[in-house]
Amino acid sequence: MSDRVFYLTTPIYYVNAEPHLGHAYTTIVADAMARWHRLAGDRVWFLTGTDEHGDNIAQTAARAGVSPQAYADRISAAFRETWRRLGITNDDYIRTTEDRHKKVVQKILQTLWEAGEIYLGTYGGQYCFGCERFYTEKEIVDGKCPDHLSPLTYIEEENYFFKMSKYQAWLIDEIQRRPDLIRPERYRNEILGFLRDPLQDLSISRPRTRLEWGIPLPFDDKYVTYVWFDALINYVSALGGPGDPRYETFWPHVEHLIGKDILKPHAVYWPCMLKAAGLPLYRHLNVHGYWRIGGGKMSKSVGNVVEALALADKYGNDAFRYFIMREMVFGLDADFSEEALVARLNADLANDLGNLASRASTLIVNFAGGVVPAGAASPEDRAVGAAFERAVRDAGAAMDELAFHRALAAIWEFVAVVNRDRAGAVPARCGGEDPRGAWAYR
Ligand SMILES: [Zn+2]
């Protein structure tokens, strides 16, 4: 048992849509990291969950003719069931409608209010109901939301604001002082670029005249909490909040894993919120790219969503996990197709690994009486041993850098070394039967 501690979070998924490949990728990567650290003997806490408040959920539930809570219950259960079927090994599952979460959100809000970090102000601006946020002139594209490409609505209202602007210099300094705080580097650069412009204070409330579905502000119950301010706190509330032994154990080691679409809230809002609340910053913000299907971004608005579950069911969880971790360079976008999946599974799993497993077991059965032989090492054995050591080292280094494709490539180099025919060695296909026939994915 090592004395290392590893706390890993996925985003809590917004319950406005059923789980899809984008969610599955983040969660499967997180699961692989958690498994890796457990194998290393680390003390691991792996959190996922669902984000359930805000305009978007209230509107979707109204359209579906059910209460927001009933709607959130249904979608949250669908996420939970998806992770169960994919064999995800999360230690906890947080929902933002749970009392344990609301309590910590209200406590942090009260602390910030008493510390003078929050004030009442008036704000008018172009608002997107889909994004649940105001857009600045610079962000608006042709008068529309840059994300939804739908018209914006001008809204003016009194709201509570978090004094985020005062943390701009601190945040820039922190990102520069810790080069791997946000990784890979392209996302760090994106945030440093964003921070060249003045940072605005953050509106953290919504009047209940417009929105009921949220956590009431503890110091003014005419307002509910802005959904992002509420949601980000899940990473702390799931540990019971400051003072809880679980929080004290795991928070100092927190690693966040997110998709690039939610970079800004995690790289800007969240660090400032933590700083203002007197809580330590995360160790790393790990950011991945999108899966492209037919060249488009992977999201429900594009309409070409792959049913992650269907493919995992068809090919098996391990094979599916292998493909998405081997195919995508962490941080960059990648193309998804079932054809590419089948080709890789056949080449790498059925052929390379399947061949190795088949040969090794045949050799052990036919030539060693079914027992792995121990004893004097031949030069071939030593070469294989050295290749194994190299694979362990390279795979470990790559995992630490979230370079999953390289970690797997390092292991497959070892597979290739063992599969290689050598003069004087037993013929490669000694079993007589080509193992590919039995193993192929179709
Ligand atoms: Zn929008």
mmCIF file of all heavy atoms in Angstrom, residues 128 131 135 145 147-148, ligand 1:
data_model
loop_
_atom_site.group_PDB
_atom_site.id
_atom_site.type_symbol
_atom_site.label_atom_id
_atom_site.label_comp_id
_atom_site.label_asym_id
_atom_site.label_seq_id
_atom_site.Cartn_x
_atom_site.Cartn_y
_atom_site.Cartn_z
ATOM 1 N N CYS A 128 -28.741 33.991 -22.897
ATOM 2 C CA CYS A 128 -29.152 32.771 -23.589
ATOM 3 C C CYS A 128 -29.785 31.837 -22.572
ATOM 4 O O CYS A 128 -29.145 31.455 -21.598
ATOM 5 C CB CYS A 128 -27.973 32.073 -24.266
ATOM 6 S SG CYS A 128 -28.442 30.448 -24.939
ATOM 7 N N CYS A 131 -27.953 28.352 -22.443
ATOM 8 C CA CYS A 131 -26.688 28.344 -21.699
ATOM 9 C C CYS A 131 -26.875 28.804 -20.262
ATOM 10 O O CYS A 131 -26.008 28.629 -19.428
ATOM 11 C CB CYS A 131 -25.657 29.252 -22.356
ATOM 12 S SG CYS A 131 -25.211 28.770 -24.016
ATOM 13 N N TYR A 135 -24.222 36.925 -22.350
ATOM 14 C CA TYR A 135 -23.071 36.994 -23.247
ATOM 15 C C TYR A 135 -22.623 38.439 -23.418
ATOM 16 O O TYR A 135 -23.461 39.340 -23.511
ATOM 17 C CB TYR A 135 -23.411 36.367 -24.613
ATOM 18 C CG TYR A 135 -23.259 34.874 -24.584
ATOM 19 C CD1 TYR A 135 -24.352 34.044 -24.369
ATOM 20 C CD2 TYR A 135 -21.997 34.298 -24.726
ATOM 21 C CE1 TYR A 135 -24.196 32.675 -24.304
ATOM 22 C CE2 TYR A 135 -21.838 32.931 -24.669
ATOM 23 C CZ TYR A 135 -22.936 32.114 -24.458
ATOM 24 O OH TYR A 135 -22.764 30.766 -24.388
ATOM 25 N N CYS A 145 -26.349 33.400 -29.786
ATOM 26 C CA CYS A 145 -25.514 32.643 -28.857
ATOM 27 C C CYS A 145 -24.476 31.857 -29.668
ATOM 28 O O CYS A 145 -24.845 31.129 -30.588
ATOM 29 C CB CYS A 145 -26.382 31.677 -28.049
ATOM 30 S SG CYS A 145 -25.427 30.411 -27.210
ATOM 31 N N ASP A 147 -22.899 29.311 -28.923
ATOM 32 C CA ASP A 147 -22.999 27.872 -28.695
ATOM 33 C C ASP A 147 -24.246 27.288 -29.361
ATOM 34 O O ASP A 147 -24.189 26.307 -30.086
ATOM 35 C CB ASP A 147 -23.019 27.602 -27.190
ATOM 36 C CG ASP A 147 -22.550 26.197 -26.857
ATOM 37 O OD1 ASP A 147 -21.704 25.681 -27.611
ATOM 38 O OD2 ASP A 147 -23.036 25.637 -25.862
ATOM 39 N N HIS A 148 -25.391 27.931 -29.088
ATOM 40 C CA HIS A 148 -26.666 27.423 -29.603
ATOM 41 C C HIS A 148 -27.031 27.989 -30.974
ATOM 42 O O HIS A 148 -27.932 27.463 -31.628
ATOM 43 C CB HIS A 148 -27.795 27.763 -28.625
ATOM 44 C CG HIS A 148 -27.740 26.963 -27.361
ATOM 45 N ND1 HIS A 148 -27.038 27.369 -26.245
ATOM 46 C CD2 HIS A 148 -28.282 25.763 -27.046
ATOM 47 C CE1 HIS A 148 -27.174 26.466 -25.292
ATOM 48 N NE2 HIS A 148 -27.917 25.485 -25.747
HETATM 49 ZN ZN ZN B 1 -26.553 29.331 -25.630
#
